[in-house]
Amino acid sequence: MVPRATLPPLTGLLVFQPLKRRYCAECRRGPLPLLVLEDGAPRCLDCADLGHLVFLPSGDTALTRRSRVESTLSAVVVRFNRRKSRYERQGVLVEEAALARAEQRCLADAEARRRRRVRDARRREAQDALFAQAFAAEILRLFPGCPAARARAIALHASERGSGRVG
């Protein structure tokens, strides 16, 4: 049912968000929003003894990391992306009490993490400016006939972080 070559390299429990309507092989409930494969047969979370876990969607790294540490049992939720022909993480299943403790820990140090993000953003801006300046100097060295303003424009465009270009 699930090609093993396309599964992500994960350790621990794996829970699937099916693309098609699937029913539990044990209790016949369905269609299932989340399922576990046991011996190649789909099982609902209750039949797989995971019904007490709550879904935490991906997005908040600190909350996910802390809730997995707090939880004695967790599972990774994946869904198949047909366009990319691979499974992609959608989030994790963790215990509700562990999620509450992790949220409290995240709220306790939210201000410190915000200050760190601001400090890191400033540091990256300074690094980017130095890189663009060195890049423009290298363009001028390799192409001595290039106007300085054009070399700076090329360097700024080519070194833009997060632009979606690879290289």
Side-chain angles (χ1 to χ4, degrees):
M1 177 188 271
V2 177
R4 298 301 287 175
T6 59
L7 288 176
L10 301 169
T11 59
L13 293 172
L14 207 55
V15 176
F16 297 91
Q17 280 184 344
L19 298 176
K20 298 179 181 178
R21 296 170 62 113
R22 300 281 185 219
Y23 296 87
C24 180
E26 191 170 319
C27 67
R28 304 286 185 220
R29 271 192 301 172
L32 300 173
L34 297 173
L35 62 91
V36 177
L37 288 178
E38 290 180 353
D39 299 324
R43 306 247 193 259
C44 65
L45 295 182
D46 290 330
C47 292
D49 293 329
L50 299 175
H52 65 285
L53 300 179
V54 293
F55 179 67
L56 175 62
S58 56
D60 189 344
T61 313
L63 182 61
T64 300
R65 185 178 346 101
R66 288 175 177 173
S67 62
R68 288 192 74 182
V69 166
E70 293 282 339
S71 184
T72 56
L73 178 64
S74 65
V76 177
V77 179
V78 295
R79 180 173 50 209
F80 189 73
N81 185 332
R82 288 181 179 155
R83 201 172 327 121
K84 296 180 182 177
S85 296
R86 68 178 185 205
Y87 282 90
E88 296 178 337
R89 282 178 78 123
Q90 301 300 308
V92 293
L93 291 174
V94 293
E95 294 169 339
E96 193 168 359
L99 179 58
R101 288 191 302 270
E103 285 173 338
Q104 288 174 349
R105 288 178 55 196
C106 284
L107 287 175
D109 70 347
E111 181 60 27
R113 288 186 293 123
R114 186 196 62 78
R115 284 194 310 265
R116 186 181 321 118
R117 277 194 305 271
V118 169
R119 186 176 59 243
D120 290 346
R122 280 195 214 116
R123 180 181 45 79
R124 279 192 303 273
E125 284 177 19
Q127 287 175 342
D128 291 349
L130 288 173
F131 177 74
Q133 188 177 16
F135 196 177
E138 187 66 15
I139 291 171
L140 289 173
R141 185 184 72 76
L142 292 172
F143 305 99
C146 181
R150 182 71 180 141
R152 278 193 301 277
I154 292 169
L156 286 174
H157 178 73
S159 65
E160 184 180 347
R161 193 184 291 242
S163 64
R165 290 185 305 278
V166 177

